Amino acid sequence: MEKLGIIAGAGELPVLLARTAVAHDRKPVIIQITKSDAQRFAGITSEIHTYGVGQIQKIARTLLNSGVKEVVIIGKVEKNILLRPFQIDTTTIKILVQNRREKPAAIVNAALNYLESVGLTILPQDRYLHDLLPQPGVLTTRQPTASQQADIELGITTARQIANMDIGQTVVVKNQIVLAIEAIEGTDATIERGGNLGRKGVIVAKASAENHDFRIDVPTVGMQTLAMLHQVKAGVLAVEARRTFVMDTKTLVQQADRWKIAIVAVD
């Protein structure tokens, strides 16, 4: 069985990928780089190794020694890890020094270049997860109103702009006013902040950069995101069609309709 390397952050995406890889007759070799419970991979035939996110040389060596040629990097790794002390090897130190004045995206890209330089091919995250990418349209029975549609357009446009600047991906809008823009605090904190400012009926939009690197990140929404929208009494969740993972779509859409939240995939 051909092997597939999975450098796994937090969340369910690495688990879904591992299961799908097995279904495609590929044995996962999993490198955990967060403190996630390894038991989440229980029942999946795989090799599992654990390293810190800064141990790039050991990660590469382990994958190569296991016979891996292709790798998917998937799962949540908080950007603010770059602001905290973490275990690093000499290769990572070299990358950080060479890119010390660059944004996080440039540092990640340098790490990818290193992995490819030693013989590993980095695949896009959606290679085996196409079913999670929605087609354009309203996913819920509940439809956005005309005023909400205008806020969706502003939200998606603004989210694309901040993504192009490597700031964040999420924007909260109401009545054509941008209430919150995501930075390093993450999606949930942005929704909470914007919802507290705009109160009931805010629109949450999530988008990626024009030249987004889908090898290292596909914007993702799921039940946790929807629960946060419900908490702040938001009216709409807008995402990019064919460029966003929507987790457990059927269950998510049913719950959104119960909570009177429209979910829209924008082309």
Side-chain angles (χ1 to χ4, degrees), residues 11 14 16 18 49 56 86 101 192 199 228:
L16 286 175
H49 308 269
I56 295 174
F86 60 100
R101 301 184 189 279
E192 184 175 22
R199 305 296 178 91
M228 184 58 68

Side-chain angles (χ1 to χ4, degrees), residues 6-251:
I6 300 176
I7 299 179
E12 287 301 307
L13 278 172
V15 180
L16 286 175
L17 177 58
R19 288 177 182 154
T20 306
V22 172
H24 284 80
D25 294 323
R26 303 198 67 172
K27 181 179 179 180
V29 178
I30 299 166
I31 306 291
Q32 290 211 130
I33 57 171
T34 67
K35 294 182 179 179
S36 299
D37 185 359
Q39 291 303 311
R40 60 185 171 152
F41 296 105
I44 302 173
T45 302
S46 60
E47 297 176 29
I48 299 178
H49 308 269
T50 301
Y51 293 112
V53 69
Q55 295 178 290
I56 295 174
Q57 193 171 18
K58 288 184 177 180
I59 290 170
R61 186 183 302 118
T62 298
L63 291 170
L64 291 169
N65 289 344
S66 296
V68 170
K69 296 179 181 178
E70 295 182 328
V71 179
V72 178
I73 302 170
I74 195 166
K76 191 171 185 179
V77 179
E78 300 289 354
K79 284 184 179 180
N80 60 13
I81 194 171
L82 296 174
L83 303 178
R84 306 193 302 266
F86 60 100
Q87 190 174 8
I88 58 178
D89 57 28
T90 54
T91 298
T92 307
I93 291 172
K94 184 177 179 180
I95 289 171
L96 291 174
V97 169
Q98 290 176 341
N99 296 275
R100 61 187 179 278
R101 301 184 189 279
E102 302 294 337
K103 293 181 179 180
I107 297 172
V108 172
N109 193 57
L112 296 185
N113 289 340
Y114 169 77
L115 293 175
E116 292 195 323
S117 73
V118 299
L120 296 167
T121 299
I122 311 299
L123 301 179
Q125 292 185 352
D126 61 355
R127 175 64 64 85
Y128 294 103
L129 298 174
H130 286 296
D131 290 347
L132 299 181
L133 302 174
Q135 296 300 309
V138 181
L139 307 185
T140 48
T141 301
R142 187 173 185 83
Q143 302 286 313
T145 65
S147 62
Q148 287 175 334
Q149 189 60 51
D151 283 347
I152 290 169
E153 292 172 7
L154 174 60
I156 288 291
T157 298
T158 306
R160 285 169 174 163
Q161 290 172 342
I162 66 166
N164 283 337
M165 298 171 68
D166 195 23
I167 295 173
Q169 298 175 336
T170 305
V171 172
V172 182
V173 177
K174 185 178 181 181
N175 297 335
Q176 293 291 283
I177 299 172
V178 176
L179 301 170
I181 289 175
E182 179 187 8
I184 203 167
E185 77 275 31
T187 300
D188 289 351
T190 304
I191 295 171
E192 184 175 22
R193 179 160 49 89
N196 288 338
L197 289 169
R199 305 296 178 91
K200 185 177 180 179
V202 298
I203 304 306
V204 176
K206 193 175 186 71
S208 53
E210 182 180 358
N211 297 315
H212 189 75
D213 190 345
F214 290 95
R215 297 177 304 166
I216 56 173
D217 171 60
V218 175
T220 302
V221 297
M223 195 56 68
Q224 181 177 331
T225 309
L226 190 68
M228 184 58 68
L229 266 78
H230 177 59
Q231 178 179 314
V232 302
K233 296 181 173 60
V236 177
L237 171 62
V239 300
E240 287 187 301
R242 295 184 291 262
R243 291 166 63 91
T244 308
F245 283 148
V246 178
M247 303 291 289
D248 197 3
T249 306
K250 184 178 179 180
T251 302

